[in-house]
Amino acid sequence: MTLIEIGIAMAIAAGLLALALPAISNVTRVQLRQKSGQLAGGVRSLYGATALGGHSCRLVFDIDHQTYWSECAERAVRLDRSGEQSTGGSRRDSREEELLANIRPGSANEEEQVKLALAQKSAFKPSGDVPVTQLGGSVRFLDVWVQHQSERYTSCKAFLYFWPSGLTEVAAIHLGQGDDVNTLLVSPLSGRVRIVSGRVDAEGQR
């Protein structure tokens, strides 16, 4: 092949690549929009199920495994006013969780048995409202911030709580795929989720 023929071939290849890149980018955005909409629907669904069920629920975001699901307790549950403790962008177990983890049901004394019984009533267990859902593809959690957190979480788990009174928490959930980012902003009074293109923080976010 002459240099002219090689140049023509390279020009054609460059033109085909230029046509293909926007199509690939559009597919990426479609996947990100689809996963964002699916997660927003899960938030809204759990908000309604909690109000009807009369108990507390939460949406679990497993950032490391890129999955989410719902959990509910048998009764209404209150959060500690001091909020959660975290280190380096991940949640630390509460004092109650650490205490219960060290209690052995078979050898627990009377006081510990009472604590276990109370904990079981307040414990969150997987519910069928939002089944375990994998984000899938190359869509991933970038970080999650909920108002009871001291910082945004980038690893381990984060929880978005719902109460039977018809309230949830202010939250900002960032999903990414490649260079594209979507922000899901949760309204605490209505459970509605606003999907915004790009990275946006929630009002009052730390």
Side-chain angles (χ1 to χ4, degrees):
M1 297 179 65
T2 65
L3 289 177
I4 295 176
E5 290 172 330
I6 293 174
I8 292 173
M10 291 181 64
I12 293 173
L16 292 174
L17 182 61
L19 292 172
L21 285 177
I24 295 172
S25 180
N26 287 336
V27 170
T28 299
R29 292 192 182 97
V30 166
Q31 292 176 346
L32 182 57
R33 284 199 299 269
Q34 180 185 17
K35 299 299 182 181
S36 299
Q38 186 178 24
L39 177 53
V43 172
R44 185 62 183 164
S45 174
L46 191 56
Y47 177 88
T50 302
L52 291 174
H55 47 211
S56 299
C57 295
R58 67 186 183 186
L59 197 59
V60 183
F61 305 99
D62 189 335
I63 301 172
D64 291 340
H65 296 94
Q66 303 301 321
T67 57
Y68 60 92
W69 65 89
S70 64
E71 296 179 344
C72 292
E74 295 180 4
R75 62 179 186 177
V77 177
R78 293 184 179 180
L79 296 182
D80 191 330
R81 289 185 178 180
S82 62
E84 290 179 342
Q85 300 300 312
S86 61
T87 304
S90 63
R91 176 182 180 274
R92 295 206 317 251
D93 288 341
S94 65
R95 286 177 297 177
E96 183 182 44
E97 289 171 330
E98 292 176 349
L99 178 64
L100 293 175
N102 295 322
I103 295 178
R104 299 291 179 266
S107 59
N109 58 37
E110 186 175 344
E111 180 182 354
E112 290 174 336
Q113 289 176 357
V114 171
K115 289 181 179 180
L116 280 173
L118 291 174
Q120 288 173 351
K121 291 182 179 179
S122 303
F124 286 89
K125 300 176 182 178
S127 71
D129 300 299
V130 180
V132 176
T133 304
Q134 183 86 30
L135 284 180
S138 56
V139 179
R140 67 193 188 282
F141 289 115
L142 300 178
D143 56 69
V144 177
W145 179 84
V146 185
Q147 70 181 69
H148 68 265
Q149 298 174 193
S150 59
E151 60 177 314
R152 68 182 70 196
Y153 292 171
T154 57
S155 61
C156 297
K157 293 178 181 177
F159 303 112
L160 173 61
Y161 288 89
F162 300 80
W163 290 280
S165 58
L167 292 174
T168 181
E169 302 178 274
V170 178
I173 305 158
H174 292 119
L175 297 183
Q177 187 177 31
D179 295 329
D180 292 320
V181 179
N182 273 359
T183 302
L184 283 71
L185 298 172
V186 181
S187 171
L189 298 179
S190 64
R192 295 185 181 278
V193 182
R194 184 163 59 97
I195 302 175
V196 182
S197 180
R199 177 178 285 275
V200 179
D201 288 342
E203 185 176 351
Q205 182 172 347
R206 298 183 293 276

